Amino acid sequence: MKAVDFTSIKINGGFWKEKQDLVREVTINAVYDRFKESGRIDAFNFDSGVKAHFFWDSDVAKWIESVAYLSTEKREPALEAIVDEIVDNIEKYRDECGYFNIYHMTIEPENRLKIRDHHELYCLGHLIEAGVAYYKATGKDKLLKLMCDYTDYVEKRFKIDKNTPFTTPGHEEIELALVKLYDVTGEKRYLELSRFFVDERGTKSEELCDWMARSYNQSHAPVREQDTAEGHAVRAVYLYCAMADLALKYNDEALKNACRKIFDNIINKRMYITGGIGSSAFGEAFTVDYDLPNLTAYTESCAAIGLALFAHRMLLLENDAKYADTIERVIYNGFLSSFSLDGDKFFYCNPLEILPYMLTKDTSQNEKNSLHLPVTRRQKEFECSCCPPNITRFVPTIANFMYTCDDDTIYVHQYMQSEAQIALGDKKIKIEQKTLYPTNGKIEIKVDTPCKVAVRIPDYCRDKGSSGYEIFEITDPSSPICLDFDLTPRFVCANPEVLADADKIALARGPVVYCMEGIDNEGHLRSIVLDTSSQITESENAELGVIALTLDAYQRKPIASLYSTKINDTYKTKATLIPFYAFANREECEMQVWHNYR
Amino acid sequence: MKAVDFTSIKINGGFWKEKQDLVREVTINAVYDRFKESGRIDAFNFDSGVKAHFFWDSDVAKWIESVAYLSTEKREPALEAIVDEIVDNIEKYRDECGYFNIYHMTIEPENRLKIRDHHELYCLGHLIEAGVAYYKATGKDKLLKLMCDYTDYVEKRFKIDKNTPFTTPGHEEIELALVKLYDVTGEKRYLELSRFFVDERGTKSEELCDWMARSYNQSHAPVREQDTAEGHAVRAVYLYCAMADLALKYNDEALKNACRKIFDNIINKRMYITGGIGSSAFGEAFTVDYDLPNLTAYTESCAAIGLALFAHRMLLLENDAKYADTIERVIYNGFLSSFSLDGDKFFYCNPLEILPYMLTKDTSQNEKNSLHLPVTRRQKEFECSCCPPNITRFVPTIANFMYTCDDDTIYVHQYMQSEAQIALGDKKIKIEQKTLYPTNGKIEIKVDTPCKVAVRIPDYCRDKGSSGYEIFEITDPSSPICLDFDLTPRFVCANPEVLADADKIALARGPVVYCMEGIDNEGHLRSIVLDTSSQITESENAELGVIALTLDAYQRKPIASLYSTKINDTYKTKATLIPFYAFANREECEMQVWHNYR
């Protein structure tokens, strides 16, 4: 299966156009402003005296990459000028070997490439992705070439001279970046270097001393023997992306199999209904099967992004609807919740329950008990600010997930109003989608040339056992494919093994998972019991620009004593739900995705 | 109201006789064996070379106190010989000032009485309690006199010379011990010293630097201004005991009021249904109102004991049934769960839910996330072993909670088969109880002399608004008072503000709270839904020697996928419950107190 790059697709209306416009108009600048304020931009000028952190290169690299993606459709001269200055600084301050790292060159030069968890290769990976993207979008190749030099040095040190104290970076990223570098340069040794890093992982006994050195960064076993998603969730999915890339490039069956097992482990046992992954604040990590606590869900925004990227690569390996289903689950829920409706505030964690009182001083779940805790409100910035620039590079490229193709069929995986040019064998086909999805389920798909079009029937409305794709043989391009997916709100329950959701239900409408917020409901959300026999009414919430759902419910009457025998003392009320992605855009209040029901 | 000391009551059958026999035959020796093995006993011989911990004096002191209480009814020469040797060592190694502390005299002599949280006065308090008890039980006054000397030195340093870097010990205990020392010696200055320590608390700005120095040990405000239970739960209730003691001795209305407010805050907002207190592992502490998580409940055994001791002192201040109700809640639940049915294993924490998988490596709730976590099984020993010897001193004195009296009325607060001698005005009255309570609700109370007897009608079977005591004017001593409390199993719900228990029910039978254990039930307990319309059947569980309860329930059918729309896919089953106090006496399994229901 071939990928269809976002550069050949123009999203020209509907749900994602709004998000892309928001990122172009607001988010990209908001992220820049915070980076400027924090010193991240000036830190590339070593004479600025700014004290850098060892992951700052990567933050700025992702911002550069975002600018590149935005520039594909419409150049942004002001942003480009900033990028060019940063790139000039890299050229100016890099050393004679090509090495560049704002932290290690200014603060800890004696430990260059010596500390496994100091993120130098992670930073390089993001700089490579930025260089590749910036070159493809603008034709400017300076950053790309600088990163080729740096990569050559890395190859020499790690793979040829073998004189580094570790052989697998603590935070994966360079592995997938090297595949992109290979794709753009055609230099096979970049691909080989990626495979070297991937193959080394989990083979060194000196890296197995404890959980942090072992499972935390997926070094618990050689990659082809891994069959569960382990450790730091972002590191994990970045590795899995590279594994899937290499499995495809080398047609490596063992690697394919490992990818399949890991992917299935995630979606069958370790993924929240929102597509969020990484249950535990400790290590920002996957834990064990079915361990999916809601209140303390870590579910980092970057991890959701990484899961979509992994699923997309799996889709290139084999056309199974589960991959596209997972992408859809992520992009409308656990990813989309990560930035505010006004575009300039971000969640690092995207928990499935918020109890504001829990975050006050001295409660049982407060910061003294947990290493990190989901906050109740999105923030303008983070000390560890990996998520915001990941969002700005993800939204402009969202169309990457729409199509794949083989010699005679276009596979339609995601529905977004758009116009695309796809090379199918020797035909160049224009394919258009008209849709307000997921606001409603109607989609009109039109091609300008006879061909086969396979459309994904989303998991929430397809028959069990069906392949997930319905194939249309288009002979008359003037008559479009008309789809109308049933978005009637539905109740969802979790596997009984998920103890956090036992005897609870969630609500979803199409691909969008819903939640209750305190502001729309009476009393504590945990005390509300939804009446599943009730009619569910849809209405517009104009403030949020979303469709709200309302149904009958029961709420407990207040009682004076701490314990009482009046067990069914309830009154009838209404429960109102909004899309999960829209939560926390009004005043601070409770939120929950899993509800009591009768 | 006057106390009726356990020394004038003989428990001669029924529920508590078994527990007292168990402590005499098993537990007291089990605790000694562990203390011997860990070096705690030998550490009193400074020539032994044992490296002591700074709380070890207190552990052994509580064991000595336990031996004393057991010796009241029947001397234990072998145990006494051990005690006498320890006391001889204290006499031998104490210094010329009377000061004695196995840790600070052998390991850190330069910091004697300099470090607020090094527990020297906590240890002294327990040694005072031991000395008082041992003297009263055996007539041997050596330990008592040694502790008087040490106390005199403490009084000089803290209250007269005022040359210590702190004025309130980090862990309260000496305050209540000094009241006992005053009672046995008649030396008013010991009572004054207690009041000094209590009055100092919360008045020093240098002790207010952070939560640990402030709320953790109840130094957030002067005691008379405190109205909520704060900080480390054991420290808190020990302080409140002393406050109630002093309120009584000095007829101090402001102190009484603070005690009332704090007590009401506990029982109305910060107490588990089991009588456990202290929700958070961090600081082993109270948190905020209604914050009562079940899985991570800290609920230290010592804190439950301390709450009963506080409630008992409140009962001496004012005869309100809520105090005796609370004692009953504690002794049959959160306290009784703290030791195994075979008497030699202990819980430090008594959580209201156990999910064994949660305690395996790398889960979201594992030890890396929480400072301490409830373990699933009782243990033979703990590094911090405050609880086991607290249990051994509590059970032999359980009769302390039975009676109080004023000039003409005996108040019966707790029901235990027993025979007692009570001085009522100038009459000496023999009062007998015949009962198997709480196995059944029948109690026969007989006095040998005409008098008034007020019996507490337990909260679970009294009318709302009643005083809680029914007064019988006994004119004919040959006819007993016959009570028959209704122990029909009942459902209990928590206040809707308790979010951990929202839409859940518990079961109780009389004073005994019940729980489900995995071993008696199918599948995960969180997936079981109790049918509240079902008949509840009582049956004997011979293995545990308890009454089990069985009722209809629903269990979720297994499903393959992680999320599904089959929300009501259940099958009918039976749920079986046992008393909470008897949990974890069989194989490791799930346990829960709060259940789903329909």
Side-chain angles (χ1 to χ4, degrees):
Chain A
M1 295 281 276
K2 281 197 312 185
V4 176
D5 197 75
F6 79 96
T7 53
S8 54
I9 306 167
K10 182 178 169 64
I11 292 180
N12 54 19
F15 192 90
W16 287 101
K17 176 74 165 67
E18 275 183 35
K19 297 296 172 193
Q20 292 194 334
D21 288 348
L22 186 67
V23 167
R24 184 182 296 274
E25 286 155 21
V26 178
T27 319
I28 192 73
N29 299 308
V31 173
Y32 173 76
D33 290 346
R34 298 295 92 69
F35 283 4
K36 181 74 182 170
E37 285 161 22
S38 66
R40 277 172 170 81
I41 303 292
D42 293 337
F44 281 76
N45 174 357
F46 292 0
D47 297 319
S48 69
V50 171
K51 280 195 83 162
H53 193 283
F54 62 61
F55 50 60
W56 277 11
D57 305 64
S58 70
D59 293 338
V60 176
K62 281 189 286 187
W63 182 81
I64 293 173
E65 193 185 349
S66 308
V67 170
Y69 295 145
L70 289 171
S71 303
T72 300
E73 197 182 317
K74 182 166 83 68
R75 298 289 281 266
E76 294 284 354
L79 299 178
E80 269 186 49
I82 298 167
V83 172
D84 292 340
E85 193 182 326
I86 295 167
V87 173
D88 287 345
N89 275 324
I90 295 174
E91 183 180 38
K92 176 174 176 189
Y93 293 106
R94 68 171 184 154
D95 79 1
E96 64 286 356
C97 309
Y99 177 93
F100 178 83
N101 182 283
I102 59 177
Y103 172 80
H104 270 286
M105 293 183 87
T106 60
I107 295 174
E108 212 177 320
E110 70 281 13
N111 282 326
R112 183 193 293 191
L113 294 181
K114 283 187 183 155
I115 301 171
R116 192 182 181 208
D117 267 308
H118 264 199
H119 288 23
E120 285 155 290
L121 299 191
Y122 169 78
C123 286
L124 169 56
H126 278 302
L127 283 165
I128 290 171
E129 287 200 86
V132 168
Y134 200 60
Y135 165 67
K136 287 167 76 173
T138 65
K140 298 180 187 174
D141 64 358
K142 188 190 279 184
L143 180 58
L144 179 66
K145 286 186 165 164
L146 291 169
M147 290 308 116
C148 286
D149 291 349
Y150 186 0
T151 304
D152 295 343
Y153 172 64
V154 165
E155 181 193 30
K156 183 172 185 315
R157 291 287 312 276
F158 283 82
K159 191 160 167 257
I160 299 168
D161 297 349
K162 292 184 182 298
N163 61 5
T164 52
F166 63 92
T167 56
T168 56
H171 196 315
E172 296 93 329
E173 156 62 26
I174 191 167
E175 299 85 349
L176 73 87
L178 287 168
V179 178
K180 289 189 174 181
L181 191 58
Y182 159 69
D183 280 341
V184 78
T185 63
E187 286 280 357
K188 187 82 188 262
R189 61 202 175 78
Y190 295 140
L191 192 65
E192 296 284 332
L193 183 59
S194 170
R195 189 163 67 168
F196 167 79
F197 282 130
V198 168
D199 286 354
E200 284 287 293
R201 197 161 293 270
T203 64
K204 305 286 160 187
S205 59
E206 71 271 22
E207 290 172 358
L208 297 175
C209 49
D210 64 6
W211 184 86
M212 285 302 286
R214 195 177 62 239
S215 304
Y216 177 60
N217 45 34
Q218 300 74 46
S219 300
H220 52 289
V223 293
R224 287 169 190 76
E225 292 165 27
Q226 296 191 19
D227 53 9
T228 54
E230 299 294 337
H232 187 282
V234 179
R235 297 174 197 226
V237 284
Y238 284 8
L239 169 65
Y240 306 150
C241 283
M243 287 166 62
D245 279 339
L246 295 171
L248 184 69
K249 299 282 186 194
Y250 288 99
N251 197 19
D252 182 331
E253 278 301 327
L255 212 43
K256 269 186 216 177
N257 264 328
C259 287
R260 284 187 191 107
K261 284 182 186 166
I262 291 167
F263 188 86
D264 286 348
N265 175 250
I266 293 174
I267 66 163
N268 292 326
K269 295 176 180 171
R270 301 187 176 194
M271 177 184 71
Y272 288 89
I273 189 174
T274 56
I277 50 172
S279 308
S280 172
F282 181 85
E284 313 185 298
F286 287 106
T287 63
V288 297
D289 290 348
Y290 302 114
D291 179 33
L292 298 164
N294 295 306
L295 185 63
T296 58
Y298 196 70
T299 48
E300 183 180 338
S301 305
C302 290
I305 288 171
L307 176 57
L309 297 176
F310 176 34
H312 180 238
R313 283 158 168 87
M314 291 306 293
L315 204 48
L316 299 176
L317 273 178
E318 56 192 15
N319 199 72
D320 189 313
K322 69 186 174 188
Y323 302 122
D325 290 339
T326 301
I327 290 168
E328 184 169 56
R329 187 185 290 279
V330 169
I331 64 177
Y332 289 107
N333 300 292
F335 162 70
L336 206 52
S337 60
S338 67
F339 61 117
S340 60
L341 295 175
D342 58 10
D344 68 348
K345 292 177 285 297
F346 310 96
F347 271 136
Y348 192 103
C349 301
N350 298 268
L352 282 78
E353 182 174 30
I354 297 273
L355 295 175
Y357 95 90
M358 277 290 186
L359 301 164
T360 59
K361 231 181 94 307
D362 302 346
T363 67
S364 61
Q365 295 289 332
N366 71 1
E367 65 191 50
K368 289 171 275 173
N369 259 332
S370 297
L371 299 182
H372 296 259
L373 246 200
V375 291
T376 59
R377 314 292 295 157
R378 292 181 187 83
Q379 296 177 45
K380 292 229 174 204
E381 60 185 327
F382 305 91
E383 262 186 62
C384 176
S385 210
C386 48
C387 299
N390 227 348
I391 295 163
T392 53
R393 70 182 186 135
F394 191 76
V395 173
T397 54
I398 195 80
N400 275 335
F401 301 120
M402 291 182 72
Y403 302 108
T404 58
C405 61
D406 55 22
D407 287 345
D408 65 352
T409 308
I410 297 173
Y411 290 83
V412 186
H413 305 291
Q414 305 300 334
Y415 301 100
M416 306 177 187
Q417 169 137 337
S418 58
E419 198 179 293
Q421 299 291 340
I422 297 178
L424 199 67
D426 50 9
K427 288 183 281 190
K428 187 106 187 163
I429 295 176
K430 180 174 160 192
I431 179 164
E432 283 180 274
Q433 288 192 34
K434 279 198 182 146
T435 182
L436 294 172
Y437 189 81
T439 304
N440 66 48
K442 289 195 174 63
I443 300 137
E444 200 182 286
I445 300 172
K446 232 172 135 171
V447 287
D448 66 351
T449 314
C451 66
K452 280 196 286 187
V453 176
V455 302
R456 181 180 61 97
I457 312 302
D459 52 356
Y460 60 81
C461 64
R462 72 172 172 257
D463 295 333
K464 234 183 155 173
S466 85
S467 83
Y469 290 87
E470 198 175 322
I471 299 174
F472 293 84
E473 182 92 51
I474 309 292
T475 49
D476 172 12
S478 71
S479 71
I481 302 169
C482 290
L483 305 171
D484 191 359
F485 298 133
D486 181 3
L487 304 189
T488 306
R490 66 193 187 281
F491 295 107
V492 182
C493 68
N495 190 300
E497 295 294 320
V498 182
L499 299 186
D501 305 334
D503 201 35
K504 308 266 187 201
I505 51 162
L507 257 91
R509 181 181 175 278
V512 178
V513 173
Y514 273 66
C515 70
M516 281 200 272
E517 275 204 301
I519 189 173
D520 298 316
N521 293 282
E522 278 184 80
H524 291 297
L525 303 181
R526 284 196 180 186
S527 307
I528 294 176
V529 175
L530 301 185
D531 178 354
T532 53
S533 68
S534 147
Q535 188 75 25
I536 302 174
T537 313
E538 300 188 359
S539 64
E540 206 204 322
N541 180 317
E543 183 185 357
L544 299 176
V546 299
I547 294 171
L549 304 178
T550 304
L551 73 167
D552 293 339
Y554 303 91
Q555 176 58 283
R556 288 276 304 284
K557 289 184 189 163
I559 54 173
S561 61
L562 189 50
Y563 302 106
S564 147
T565 52
K566 296 181 82 176
I567 62 165
N568 284 314
D569 206 16
T570 59
Y571 63 93
K572 276 195 98 165
T573 183
K574 292 278 180 190
T576 297
L577 296 92
I578 60 162
F580 172 75
Y581 69 72
F583 90 89
N585 279 287
R586 294 169 294 175
E587 66 189 56
E588 184 180 81
C589 59
E590 295 184 358
M591 183 279 289
Q592 75 180 19
V593 170
W594 291 98
H595 318 289
N596 298 313
Y597 73 100
R598 290 292 183 278
Chain B
M1 295 281 277
K2 281 196 315 185
V4 176
D5 196 75
F6 78 97
T7 53
S8 55
I9 306 167
K10 184 179 167 61
I11 292 180
N12 54 19
F15 191 91
W16 287 101
K17 176 75 164 67
E18 274 183 36
K19 297 296 173 196
Q20 292 194 333
D21 288 350
L22 186 68
V23 166
R24 184 182 296 274
E25 286 155 22
V26 177
T27 319
I28 192 75
N29 300 306
V31 174
Y32 173 75
D33 290 346
R34 298 295 91 70
F35 282 5
K36 182 73 184 170
E37 286 161 21
S38 66
R40 277 172 169 80
I41 303 292
D42 293 337
F44 282 77
N45 174 356
F46 291 0
D47 298 320
S48 67
V50 171
K51 281 196 81 160
H53 192 281
F54 63 61
F55 50 60
W56 277 11
D57 306 63
S58 71
D59 292 338
V60 175
K62 281 190 283 187
W63 182 81
I64 295 173
E65 192 185 350
S66 308
V67 170
Y69 295 144
L70 289 171
S71 302
T72 302
E73 197 182 315
K74 183 167 82 67
R75 299 289 281 264
E76 294 284 355
L79 299 179
E80 270 185 46
I82 297 166
V83 172
D84 293 340
E85 197 183 321
I86 295 167
V87 173
D88 287 345
N89 275 325
I90 296 175
E91 183 180 38
K92 178 175 174 187
Y93 293 106
R94 68 172 183 151
D95 79 0
E96 65 284 356
C97 308
Y99 176 91
F100 178 84
N101 183 283
I102 60 176
Y103 172 80
H104 271 285
M105 293 184 85
T106 60
I107 293 174
E108 213 177 319
E110 70 281 12
N111 281 328
R112 186 192 291 190
L113 295 181
K114 282 187 183 155
I115 301 171
R116 192 182 181 206
D117 266 308
H118 264 200
H119 287 23
E120 287 154 291
L121 299 191
Y122 170 77
C123 286
L124 169 56
H126 278 303
L127 283 165
I128 290 171
E129 286 200 86
V132 168
Y134 200 59
Y135 165 68
K136 285 166 79 173
T138 66
K140 297 178 187 174
D141 64 358
K142 189 191 278 184
L143 181 59
L144 179 65
K145 286 186 163 160
L146 291 169
M147 290 307 115
C148 286
D149 291 350
Y150 185 0
T151 305
D152 295 343
Y153 172 65
V154 165
E155 182 194 29
K156 183 172 184 316
R157 292 289 310 277
F158 283 80
K159 191 162 168 253
I160 298 167
D161 296 349
K162 294 183 183 297
N163 59 6
T164 53
F166 63 92
T167 56
T168 57
H171 196 315
E172 296 93 328
E173 155 62 25
I174 192 167
E175 299 84 348
L176 73 86
L178 287 168
V179 178
K180 288 188 173 182
L181 190 60
Y182 159 69
D183 280 340
V184 77
T185 62
E187 286 281 358
K188 188 82 188 263
R189 63 204 174 79
Y190 294 140
L191 193 64
E192 297 283 334
L193 183 59
S194 170
R195 189 163 66 168
F196 167 79
F197 282 129
V198 168
D199 286 354
E200 284 287 294
R201 195 162 294 269
T203 63
K204 304 287 160 188
S205 58
E206 70 271 22
E207 292 171 355
L208 296 178
C209 49
D210 64 6
W211 184 86
M212 285 301 287
R214 193 177 63 241
S215 304
Y216 178 59
N217 46 33
Q218 298 73 49
S219 299
H220 51 289
V223 293
R224 287 169 190 76
E225 293 166 24
Q226 296 191 19
D227 52 9
T228 53
E230 298 295 339
H232 187 282
V234 178
R235 298 175 196 224
V237 284
Y238 284 8
L239 169 65
Y240 307 150
C241 282
M243 286 165 63
D245 279 339
L246 294 171
L248 185 69
K249 299 283 186 195
Y250 288 100
N251 198 18
D252 181 330
E253 278 301 328
L255 212 42
K256 268 186 217 178
N257 265 328
C259 287
R260 283 188 193 107
K261 283 181 188 167
I262 291 167
F263 188 86
D264 287 348
N265 175 249
I266 293 174
I267 66 163
N268 292 328
K269 293 175 181 171
R270 300 188 178 193
M271 178 183 70
Y272 287 89
I273 189 175
T274 57
I277 51 172
S279 307
S280 173
F282 182 84
E284 313 183 300
F286 288 104
T287 62
V288 298
D289 290 348
Y290 303 114
D291 179 33
L292 298 165
N294 293 306
L295 185 65
T296 57
Y298 196 72
T299 48
E300 183 180 338
S301 305
C302 289
I305 288 172
L307 177 58
L309 298 175
F310 175 35
H312 180 237
R313 282 159 169 87
M314 291 306 293
L315 205 47
L316 299 176
L317 274 179
E318 57 191 15
N319 200 73
D320 189 312
K322 69 185 174 190
Y323 301 122
D325 290 337
T326 300
I327 291 168
E328 186 169 53
R329 185 185 290 278
V330 169
I331 65 176
Y332 289 108
N333 301 292
F335 163 69
L336 206 53
S337 61
S338 67
F339 60 118
S340 60
L341 295 174
D342 58 9
D344 68 348
K345 291 177 285 297
F346 310 96
F347 272 136
Y348 193 102
C349 301
N350 298 268
L352 281 78
E353 181 174 31
I354 298 272
L355 295 176
Y357 96 89
M358 278 290 188
L359 302 164
T360 59
K361 229 180 96 309
D362 303 345
T363 66
S364 61
Q365 294 289 332
N366 73 1
E367 64 191 49
K368 289 170 274 171
N369 259 330
S370 299
L371 299 183
H372 296 259
L373 244 202
V375 290
T376 58
R377 314 291 295 155
R378 291 180 187 84
Q379 296 177 44
K380 291 229 172 203
E381 59 184 326
F382 305 90
E383 261 186 63
C384 176
S385 209
C386 48
C387 300
N390 226 351
I391 295 163
T392 55
R393 70 183 186 136
F394 191 76
V395 173
T397 54
I398 195 81
N400 275 334
F401 300 120
M402 291 181 73
Y403 302 109
T404 58
C405 61
D406 56 19
D407 288 344
D408 65 353
T409 307
I410 297 173
Y411 290 84
V412 187
H413 305 291
Q414 305 299 334
Y415 301 101
M416 305 177 188
Q417 169 135 337
S418 59
E419 200 180 291
Q421 299 290 341
I422 296 178
L424 198 68
D426 51 9
K427 287 184 283 190
K428 185 104 186 162
I429 294 175
K430 181 175 157 188
I431 179 165
E432 284 180 276
Q433 287 192 35
K434 277 196 184 148
T435 183
L436 294 173
Y437 189 83
T439 304
N440 68 48
K442 289 195 173 65
I443 300 137
E444 201 183 286
I445 300 172
K446 233 172 130 171
V447 288
D448 67 350
T449 313
C451 67
K452 281 197 284 189
V453 176
V455 302
R456 180 179 63 97
I457 312 302
D459 51 358
Y460 59 81
C461 64
R462 73 172 173 257
D463 297 332
K464 234 182 153 175
S466 85
S467 84
Y469 290 88
E470 195 174 326
I471 299 173
F472 293 84
E473 181 92 53
I474 310 293
T475 49
D476 172 12
S478 72
S479 72
I481 302 168
C482 289
L483 305 170
D484 191 359
F485 298 132
D486 181 3
L487 304 190
T488 305
R490 66 193 187 283
F491 295 108
V492 182
C493 67
N495 190 301
E497 295 293 322
V498 183
L499 299 186
D501 304 334
D503 199 36
K504 308 266 186 199
I505 52 162
L507 257 92
R509 181 182 176 277
V512 178
V513 173
Y514 273 66
C515 69
M516 281 202 272
E517 274 204 303
I519 189 173
D520 299 316
N521 294 282
E522 279 183 81
H524 291 299
L525 302 181
R526 283 196 180 185
S527 305
I528 294 176
V529 175
L530 301 184
D531 176 355
T532 52
S533 68
S534 149
Q535 187 75 25
I536 303 174
T537 313
E538 300 189 357
S539 64
E540 207 203 320
N541 179 318
E543 183 186 356
L544 299 175
V546 300
I547 294 170
L549 305 178
T550 304
L551 72 166
D552 293 338
Y554 303 91
Q555 175 58 282
R556 287 276 304 284
K557 289 183 189 162
I559 54 172
S561 61
L562 190 48
Y563 302 105
S564 149
T565 52
K566 296 182 81 175
I567 65 167
N568 283 313
D569 205 17
T570 60
Y571 63 93
K572 275 197 97 163
T573 183
K574 292 277 178 188
T576 297
L577 296 93
I578 59 163
F580 172 75
Y581 69 73
F583 90 88
N585 280 285
R586 294 170 295 175
E587 66 190 56
E588 185 180 80
C589 59
E590 295 184 357
M591 183 279 289
Q592 76 181 16
V593 170
W594 291 98
H595 318 289
N596 299 314
Y597 72 100
R598 289 292 183 279

